[in-house]
Amino acid sequence: MSGDDDFVNFHQMELDDRILKAISIVGWAKPTLIQEKAIPLLLEGKDVILRARTGSGKTAAFAIPLIQRILNSKSNADEQITSAFVLTPSKELCQQTRQAISQLSSLCGKLIKVVDLSSNDTGAQKHVLSERPDIVISTPGRIVHHLVSGNVDLKKMEVLVIDEADLIFSYGFEKDFKKIVEFLPAIYQAMLVSATITEDVVEMKKIVLHNPVILKLEEPDLVPESQLSHQRILAETNEKPAILSALFKLHLLRGKNVIFVNTVDRCYKLKLFLEQFAVKSCVLNSELPTSIRCHVINQFNQGKYDIIIASDEKMLDDAAGTTSSKKDKESGVSRGIDFQCVSNVLNFDFPLDVSSYIHRAGRTARGTNKGSVLSFVSIRDQAMNDKVEERLKAGYSSEETIIRNYQFKMEEVEAFRYRAHDAWRAITKVAVHEARIKEIKQEIFNSEKLKGFFSDHTRELEVLRHDKPLKTVKIQQHLSTVPDYIVPNSLKRIANSTNKRTRSTHFKKYSLAKAAFESQINNPLSCKRKK
Ligand code: AMP
């Protein structure tokens, strides 16, 4: 780990001003550990193997030196060439990488052209490739198609990046990978990023890297406690909906939230429940088409939604490779999908094993941002809660309790219990089933619209929303507002003292003073919200 004395900040890395400005626009105050170590090595032109987990800032670790290198070579280039190729195992990662590169090169004018081959149809790609974009990003299958068809020429490529390298072979792309190598020039700089250094990665290394520096940064799979807080509310099944509605309606949870439940049905049940309280949310589960999942995540990252309800953490962080769908192996891989600026992970249903807890927790406190995990723990969950606690203590080498009690007084929100009880009971199995079908139909319809649109038709995409009410349960209008008499006393005092203000200002005000009511849930992040 870097000591404070030898810490290297972005502005000490001799980066182009345009990159530095883009970094400050994105709002990153300092490099993450892997950026601090990898960027200088890559700027020197070294081959690097980087063992890094998702969320460690690995994309920018390779994107920043890549952009710098292209800016350098463009200043005295006399022809346009494709000088960098980024290989990733999934369409989602291609998209995410393209967005990161576009953001970091946003002030370079049209100097840096980047194309993601996973998005458009192959005909359109052929045209784009004929213009020799500076950076080509692709999944193995797509690039092989274009290489074999002669649509793309990588013979002048200077930099090769392989992201999530351990997944490339394990998802069955070995043959494609070896084919790609046949089209590469003899000399280039290579960077390989991988969560684990498996035998496959070692084999890949032999094929594409020359005497690389291996950066195995000793990063724990959990970010430090100072960055990520763990809290719980002891709640039985029948109490959970009331607490959840109180948390949202009293604005005790601020920022963006990912709520986890244990089944797809629960996902819809919770969405229908929140819908009755006029709290909008999107669902995310493995039943939805990949393009939709990507679109939901993109819009969430842009700040269009505040709440995602997810039913399957493995779909979101697929370390086990369980989603390597045989139907479309390039769209099933979700490891590395990035939810940006998530303030809170809320375990509405406590995870069924320790690694699920860790995966879920990994959705927040990304990069250098802060985050919190808040879990509802029933008596039945207690044993698993203890196992998680043990794991966290070991991870943090601490004797102290890690998952602290969130100070929540059930009696203070008694009125929410009645309202929530009615709302929860109104959601029958039939309503959930209908909602599930309705959502899928709606999203498949959206998906048709989305085909090939991701990169080119951003305006049209704006109008597609995924948090529309499903309306398979009768909406009870009175639930959408919070009458004064049900606001807990500890918050009322503050609300009353500001009675000249508007209602929305009231809420802002007492969320500021929520410390009286809750312990401290970690909050907002430096992330900028775009509405
Ligand atoms: P990655 O590991 O590339 O998936 O990045 C995880 C998240 O960290 C992304 O949301 C980035 O926007 C964010 N990030 C990357 N670098 C930094 C940084 N230096 N400071 C704060 N956040 C960062």
Side-chain angles (χ1 to χ4, degrees), residues 4 67 94 156 200 243 273 300 369 371 388 391 420 451 467 479 512:
D4 278 351
I67 296 167
C94 283
K156 293 188 177 159
D200 291 343
I243 299 174
F273 173 73
F300 182 75
N369 293 324
V388 171
R391 166 72 179 78
K451 267 189 191 152
D467 61 350
L479 293 179
L512 281 177

Side-chain angles (χ1 to χ4, degrees), residues 166-178:
D166 53 336
L167 294 184
I168 303 240
F169 278 11
S170 64
Y171 282 108
F173 296 128
E174 185 171 352
K175 216 169 125 214
D176 286 340
F177 179 77
K178 291 186 173 155

Side-chain angles (χ1 to χ4, degrees), residues 93-128:
L93 271 171
C94 283
Q95 229 183 77
Q96 203 166 286
T97 306
R98 179 183 164 273
Q99 278 166 356
I101 295 177
S102 299
Q103 246 179 349
L104 291 165
S105 61
S106 60
L107 300 181
C108 302
K110 293 202 163 54
L111 219 50
I112 296 191
K113 295 190 188 76
V114 47
V115 58
D116 161 15
L117 295 184
S118 72
S119 57
N120 292 322
D121 62 63
T122 38
Q125 285 167 2
K126 192 174 166 186
H127 172 71
V128 176

Side-chain angles (χ1 to χ4, degrees), residues 253-265:
L253 287 178
R254 289 187 299 158
K256 296 202 285 185
N257 302 279
V258 179
I259 307 178
F260 282 101
V261 289
N262 286 344
T263 64
V264 176
D265 270 358

Side-chain angles (χ1 to χ4, degrees), residues 10 26-32 35 53-60 96 336 338-341 366-369:
F10 285 123
V26 184
W28 300 341
K30 58 179 186 167
T32 62
Q35 290 164 359
R53 63 173 165 77
T54 307
S56 55
K58 64 182 175 61
T59 315
Q96 203 166 286
D338 185 30
F339 287 82
Q340 288 162 10
C341 306
R366 319 272 287 184
T368 54
N369 293 324

Side-chain angles (χ1 to χ4, degrees), residues 255-438:
K256 296 202 285 185
N257 302 279
V258 179
I259 307 178
F260 282 101
V261 289
N262 286 344
T263 64
V264 176
D265 270 358
R266 302 268 291 166
C267 224
Y268 289 100
K269 181 144 186 164
L270 209 53
K271 180 177 163 75
L272 291 172
F273 173 73
L274 290 176
E275 211 170 285
Q276 295 190 71
F277 288 86
V279 175
K280 287 183 172 184
S281 63
C282 315
V283 294
L284 204 60
N285 57 61
S286 46
E287 282 185 351
L288 297 170
T290 313
S291 57
I292 291 298
R293 295 205 311 249
C294 281
H295 193 235
V296 171
I297 295 168
N298 276 335
Q299 293 201 328
F300 182 75
N301 287 344
Q302 289 162 18
K304 290 197 191 305
Y305 315 120
D306 280 337
I307 304 174
I308 281 190
I309 305 171
S311 63
D312 180 1
E313 72 282 348
K314 292 215 166 58
M315 175 200 62
L316 309 176
D317 194 332
D318 182 29
T322 47
T323 56
S324 123
S325 149
K326 295 289 173 260
K327 280 182 255 156
D328 179 0
K329 57 187 179 183
E330 294 190 344
S331 62
V333 185
S334 327
R335 159 132 54 97
I337 292 306
D338 185 30
F339 287 82
Q340 288 162 10
C341 306
V342 174
S343 305
N344 312 300
V345 161
L346 209 134
N347 288 320
F348 186 80
D349 292 337
F350 202 76
L352 300 174
D353 54 58
V354 177
S355 69
S356 292
Y357 184 96
I358 306 290
H359 282 136
R360 291 179 180 188
R363 300 297 113 208
T364 182
R366 319 272 287 184
T368 54
N369 293 324
K370 287 193 169 185
S372 83
V373 184
L374 176 62
S375 307
F376 289 170
V377 180
S378 69
I379 292 174
R380 271 179 52 194
D381 302 321
Q382 195 60 54
M384 186 50 66
N385 173 88
D386 294 347
K387 283 189 187 164
V388 171
E389 176 71 34
E390 247 172 65
R391 166 72 179 78
L392 294 178
K393 275 185 179 158
Y396 292 132
S397 310
S398 167
E399 291 295 309
E400 310 252 315
T401 304
I402 308 284
I403 310 179
R404 303 213 169 88
N405 283 331
Y406 179 89
Q407 299 305 314
F408 191 90
K409 296 181 188 136
M410 196 60 212
E411 59 279 11
E412 289 215 50
V413 292
E414 201 58 31
F416 279 90
R417 194 202 287 265
Y418 297 117
R419 304 176 127 229
H421 184 70
D422 283 352
W424 190 257
R425 270 180 35 145
I427 310 161
T428 58
K429 271 194 180 156
V430 174
V432 169
H433 184 69
E434 280 175 7
R436 205 163 154 169
I437 291 175
K438 192 168 171 184

